């Protein structure tokens, strides 16, 4: 019997990890990606990847990594997969090292590790501040080897539009659009893995790359896939605002000794040297044990408090300093090369000499497609891995746990999808492919014919503004409701969009307008899911419900698309807490 063909959508770390495992196990892969795989968003990852190898002799262990991750996620993460990830992590680092990832090493030649947020241990392996790029290129090389052997066929510049699901509800392949010719085609397979990243673009400006729209997740959500914990998104404390997007200043800056502060005296301090005694190192004062390395949700809220409640900031602007200027230049260049250049290029100041001005920004998607412990969604044969699934991080992701969860998740999803595919009978007829292609072509034609007055890019900007205002750091039900009403209004106005460019050759604005509809549909899992979770847990902070409420909300939020104007239907699932019992989450006491 011929080896099964598996479709993997997404060429970031999760997708490539899955491809490698499938090819190694003898399967064949069709790999789809909007961008060339080496340009996938994973390439932007900066600070590092977590594994408790305890090379610094601090008494770290995989159990401690597991505990930090569960505690950091405010107990909302299902524990079986997180435990598996933490146990596998040290061997994954060794594997990456053998693949040739140029990890930083100590003067003795052993792998170097640094501290990241939410832990007291040096647990983060890193390659300067370009870790994602080094990892992605290493996995890409392995995939190319399998490509040369004929086991992998790449479709770069193709956009996944939908899953092909047969009359029995089984996944039978995908439909995809060639982004040059705009041709829509069906591709058959008995298993599909989505590894399509996060949904940052729903918030307009974010630290994500612009292809992180969540359009693929939304497409399968609208086809019946369950979407879990949609309301849980992460705002990173240290980004630099830009006209076009936000740019991350990695947690590694604080891991290498960076200090966050504001002048104690509000107002315009331009041109003044602020003496040490007049600097308010609020994270160090409020959280003496973890200091600048409290988890992201805690640091972000502290910055908000300092700026908006205490009226401090920089020269009257909503910003705080992230200061590296006390660290020697050689260390900075060796350990943070990459982000220093980004700051200098986009702001114009040299962060080796002057403190950086930063502010929180939308960064990561904790929610995602619901998957079981085999990484399969509720649609048989449809799997998910990486930032697009909801496992591993609960209500707040620990820095440097994502790259590990992507690789580990891909390593699980790949073989599981292959096993699944091997056990399936061939589809009857075309498995529904022709009908699905017709449905997608009809969507394209209807969009091209629209003659309304609305500009899709303007709708997107309005979406981003309202989501950023009401669904990020501090959430009120009134604001979330306003945001949801706005999304409904935008969905209505979307019916009247008109495209400036209707050509059918490499038409990026057409592709974007298609994705926008999916972004709008998915946004409602964030707004409505947020309204329903009346508690504060991790990154989901409601001043009107300031405490975590385990009795009512130690549950996964699950959203199901209905197509009705009221939005998705919600139900809740128990969280797997079999190893570590929930306890109060405090970082301000020992
Ligand atoms: C600036 C920045 C720095 C970060 N630094 C770190 C760090 O130091 N450590 C850490 O652990 N995490 C870090 N993260 C998070 C981490 O980088 C991401 O969570 C992770 O890389 C996501 O990988 P992925 O494989 O899930 O998706 P991605 O790398 O986003 O890849 C998604 C893939 O899906 C494809 N795709 C998407 N939609 C479609 C579609 N419809 N059709 C076809 N293809 C599609 C894309 O082309 C791409 O190939 C950082 C994030 C940012 C934004």
């Amino acid at each position: 019997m011929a080896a099964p063909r598996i479709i993997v959508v997404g060429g970031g770390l999760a997708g490539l990890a899955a491809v490698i495992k499938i090819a190694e196990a003898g399967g064949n892969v069709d790999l789809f990606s909007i961008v060339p795989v080496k340009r996938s968003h994973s390439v932007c990852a900066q600070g590092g990847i977590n594994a408790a190898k305890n090379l610094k002799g601090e008494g770290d262990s995989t159990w401690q990594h597991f505990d930090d991750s569960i505690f950091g996620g405010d107990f909302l993460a299902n524990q079986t997969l997180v435990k598996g990830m933490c146990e596998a992590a040290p061997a994954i680092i060794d594997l990456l090292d053998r693949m040739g990832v140029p990890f930083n090493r100590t003067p003795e030649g052993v792998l170097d590790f640094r501290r990241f947020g939410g832990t007291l241990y040096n647990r983060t392996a890193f390659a300067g501040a370009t870790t994602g790029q080094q990892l992605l290129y290493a996995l890409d090389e392995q995939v190319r080897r399998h490509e040369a052997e004929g086991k992998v066929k790449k479709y770069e510049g193709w956009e996944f539009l939908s899953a092909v699901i047969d009359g029995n509800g089984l996944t039978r392949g995908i439909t995809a659009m060639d982004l040059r010719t705009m041709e829509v085609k069906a591709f058959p397979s008995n298993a599909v893995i989505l590894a399509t990243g996060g949904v940052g673009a729903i918030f307009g400006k974010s630290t994500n790359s612009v292809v992180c729209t969540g359009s693929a997740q939304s497409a399968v959500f609208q086809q019946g896939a369950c979407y879990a914990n949609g309301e849980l998104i992460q705002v990173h404390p240290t980004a630099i605002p830009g006209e076009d997007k936000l740019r991350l200043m990695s947690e590694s800056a604080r891991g290498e000794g960076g200090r966050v502060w504001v002048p104690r005296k509000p107002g315009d301090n331009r041109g003044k040297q602020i003496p040490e005694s007049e600097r308010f190192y609020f994270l160090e004062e409020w959280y003496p044990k973890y200091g600048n390395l409290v988890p992201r949700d805690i640091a972000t809220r502290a910055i908000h408090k300092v700026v908006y409640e205490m009226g401090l900031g920089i020269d009257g602007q909503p910003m705080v300093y992230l200061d590296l200027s006390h660290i020697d230049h050689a260390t900075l260049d060796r350990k943070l090369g990459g982000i220093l250049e980004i700051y200098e290029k986009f702001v114009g100041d040299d962060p080796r000499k002057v403190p950086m001005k930063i502010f929180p920004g939308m960064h990561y998607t904790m929610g995602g497609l619901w998957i079981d412990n085999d990484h399969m969604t509720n649609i048989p044969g449809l799997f998910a891995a990486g930032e697009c699934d909801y496992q591993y991080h609960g209500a707040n992701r620990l820095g440097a746990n994502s790259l590990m969860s992507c690789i580990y998740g891909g390593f699980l999803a790949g073989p599981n999808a292959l096993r699944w595919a091997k056990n399936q009978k061939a589809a009857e007829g075309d498995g529904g492919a022709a009908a699905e292609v017709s449905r997608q072509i009809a969507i394209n034609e209807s969009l091209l014919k629209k003659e309304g007055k609305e500009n899709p890019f303007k709708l997107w900007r309005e979406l981003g503004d309202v989501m950023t205002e009401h669904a990020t750091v501090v959430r009120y039900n009134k604001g979330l409701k306003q945001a949801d009403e706005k999304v409904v209004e935008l969905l209505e106005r979307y019916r009247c969009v008109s495209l400036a460019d209707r050509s059918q050759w490499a038409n990026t604005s057409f592709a974007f307008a298609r994705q926008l509809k999916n972004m709008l549909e998915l946004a409602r899992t964030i707004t409505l899911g947020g309204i329903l979770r009346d508690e504060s847990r991790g990154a989901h902070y409601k001043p009107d419900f300031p405490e975590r409420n385990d009795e009512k909300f130690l549950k996964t939020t699950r959203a199901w698309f209905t197509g009705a104007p009221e939005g998705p239907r919600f139900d809740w699932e128990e969280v797997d807490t079999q190893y570590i019992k929930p306890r109060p989450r405090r970082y301000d006491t020992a």
Side-chain angles (χ1 to χ4, degrees):
M1 202 175 91
R5 280 203 97 72
I6 311 294
I7 287 177
V8 175
V9 185
L13 285 176
L16 296 187
V19 171
I20 291 168
K21 286 288 171 191
I22 297 167
E24 277 174 7
N28 296 312
V29 186
D30 287 333
L31 170 59
F32 290 78
S33 175
I34 291 181
V35 295
V37 298
K38 279 174 96 170
R39 297 261 74 80
S40 294
H41 162 75
S42 290
V43 81
C44 305
Q46 301 174 341
I49 175 166
N50 284 342
K53 283 182 70 73
N54 193 32
L55 292 188
K56 295 204 184 256
E58 300 166 307
D60 197 8
S61 64
T62 56
W63 183 272
Q64 188 60 51
H65 183 189
F66 174 41
D67 190 78
D68 282 342
S69 304
I70 295 299
F71 187 65
D74 224 347
F75 295 91
L76 198 63
N78 291 309
Q79 297 186 358
T80 302
L81 282 177
V82 185
K83 183 166 177 285
M85 171 184 82
C86 296
E87 286 168 357
I92 289 178
I93 294 292
D94 290 340
L95 176 73
L96 295 167
D97 195 27
R98 284 200 302 279
M99 282 181 188
V101 174
F103 285 120
N104 277 50
R105 307 189 97 87
T106 65
E108 298 80 31
V110 293
L111 288 176
D112 200 1
F113 285 80
R114 64 178 159 215
R115 261 189 75 199
F116 245 63
T119 184
L120 298 170
Y121 297 88
N122 285 281
R123 185 186 289 148
T124 305
F126 59 100
T130 62
T131 312
Q133 180 181 346
Q134 310 308 330
L135 298 181
L136 194 69
Y137 287 12
L139 295 199
D140 178 60
E141 256 177 31
Q142 300 299 316
V143 169
R144 280 167 195 266
R145 192 161 56 80
H146 296 301
E147 205 178 355
E149 291 164 355
K151 292 185 190 159
V152 177
K153 182 159 184 207
K154 273 200 202 124
Y155 292 84
E156 292 174 323
W158 283 78
E159 178 172 351
F160 167 91
L161 299 180
S162 63
V164 173
I165 300 170
D166 72 10
N168 297 317
L170 298 176
T171 305
R172 294 301 188 177
I174 67 167
T175 65
M177 180 163 69
D178 182 337
L179 292 170
R180 268 153 299 213
T181 64
M182 313 318 271
E183 179 197 10
V184 176
K185 268 181 75 175
F187 295 84
S189 78
N190 282 333
V192 172
I193 302 174
L194 287 192
T196 46
V199 307
I202 289 178
F203 290 79
K205 288 190 210 172
S206 80
T207 62
N208 294 186
S209 74
V210 284
V211 293
C212 299
T213 61
S215 180
Q217 293 90 300
S218 179
V220 296
F221 168 59
Q222 292 168 64
Q223 290 183 285
C226 173
Y227 199 80
N229 289 343
E231 71 274 22
L232 288 160
I233 59 108
Q234 177 167 80
V235 177
H236 196 292
T238 61
I240 45 175
E243 277 301 309
D244 53 342
K245 73 184 294 288
L246 311 177
R247 291 182 175 80
L248 186 76
M249 283 300 111
S250 165
E251 204 160 276
S252 54
R254 283 172 287 141
E256 294 299 342
R259 302 178 76 189
V260 177
W261 61 275
V262 279
R264 283 191 192 271
K265 284 196 199 125
D268 196 340
N269 286 299
R270 260 174 293 188
K272 292 182 204 152
Q273 233 337 330
I274 315 276
E276 197 66 22
S277 59
E278 286 176 26
R279 296 176 179 193
F280 180 21
Y281 293 99
F282 50 95
L283 292 177
E284 296 172 34
E285 269 186 37
W286 291 343
Y287 305 100
K289 194 167 175 195
Y290 285 80
N292 292 290
L293 285 170
V294 283
R296 291 171 183 178
D297 56 333
I298 308 275
T300 296
R301 276 204 296 283
I303 293 173
H304 252 241
K305 181 172 169 173
V306 157
V307 168
Y308 293 121
E309 288 175 32
M310 301 173 73
L312 303 174
I314 304 177
D315 308 325
Q317 301 291 314
M319 283 186 277
V320 301
Y321 286 123
L322 170 57
D323 198 348
L324 298 171
S325 60
H326 54 285
I327 304 173
D328 73 87
H329 293 192
T331 305
L332 290 178
D333 290 339
R334 191 162 38 90
K335 295 193 162 176
L336 296 176
I339 63 166
L340 305 177
E341 287 79 4
I342 292 177
Y343 191 82
E344 196 162 2
K345 182 167 172 189
F346 288 96
V347 180
D349 291 334
D350 182 352
R352 296 167 194 83
K353 295 183 186 147
V354 292
M356 299 187 275
K357 294 175 184 172
I358 52 98
F359 197 67
M362 159 58 190
H363 178 64
Y364 186 81
T365 315
M366 268 92 66
L369 289 168
W370 181 93
I371 50 166
D372 61 17
N373 286 348
D374 288 339
H375 275 253
M376 188 155 81
T377 70
N378 58 300
I379 299 180
L382 180 64
F383 294 73
E387 194 170 335
C388 73
D389 79 48
Y390 90 107
Q391 297 273 16
Y392 298 100
H393 311 294
N396 172 64
R397 170 172 75 82
L398 285 195
N401 258 3
S402 174
L403 298 182
M404 187 49 78
S405 68
C406 286
I407 295 175
Y408 178 71
F411 280 179
L412 288 187
N416 287 337
L418 184 62
R419 206 167 307 122
W420 168 270
K422 277 182 179 161
N423 290 324
Q424 297 308 305
K425 292 200 189 104
E428 284 169 28
D430 73 351
E436 189 54 34
V437 168
S438 302
R439 187 171 81 90
Q440 296 305 325
I441 290 176
I443 293 174
N444 285 1
E445 285 174 351
S446 139
L447 180 57
L448 285 167
K449 274 198 218 121
K450 283 186 198 293
E451 292 283 2
K453 291 200 179 78
E454 298 286 357
N455 176 332
F457 290 96
K458 183 162 180 298
L459 299 190
W460 176 51
R461 175 148 299 188
E462 290 181 35
L463 171 70
D465 288 348
V466 79
M467 294 299 288
T468 301
E469 183 177 353
H470 295 297
T472 50
V473 185
V474 179
R475 295 167 167 194
Y476 294 94
N477 282 344
K478 199 169 147 222
L480 288 166
K481 193 155 176 292
Q482 260 177 6
D484 189 61
E485 284 165 2
K486 181 74 184 183
V487 176
V488 173
E489 176 205 309
L490 293 171
L491 275 163
E492 192 53 38
R493 284 167 59 195
Y494 181 86
R495 294 148 79 103
C496 306
V497 292
S498 149
L499 298 179
D501 178 1
R502 292 169 207 268
S503 65
Q504 283 296 278
W505 179 260
N507 186 341
T508 48
S509 54
F510 165 72
F512 179 79
R514 251 197 90 112
Q515 293 159 3
L516 177 63
K517 169 77 166 46
N518 286 345
M519 282 191 247
L520 290 166
E521 295 290 2
L522 204 60
R524 300 198 75 191
T525 66
I526 304 171
T527 51
L528 295 174
I531 290 172
L532 293 168
R533 187 177 281 281
D534 271 340
E535 64 162 352
S536 290
R537 184 185 294 273
H540 175 74
Y541 174 59
K542 280 187 172 175
D544 293 337
F545 302 90
E547 301 300 325
R548 192 175 87 195
N549 182 344
D550 283 348
E551 206 183 310
K552 277 178 119 174
F553 295 109
L554 182 54
K555 300 214 163 68
T556 297
T557 310
R558 303 198 314 166
W560 305 85
F561 184 75
T562 62
E566 309 82 66
R569 174 175 67 77
F570 288 89
D571 60 25
W572 285 268
E573 187 180 57
E574 290 302 317
V575 177
D576 158 16
T577 57
Q578 60 178 304
Y579 299 103
I580 303 173
K581 294 298 156 219
R583 58 184 192 270
R585 179 173 179 254
R586 301 277 303 264
Y587 289 91
D588 55 348
T589 54

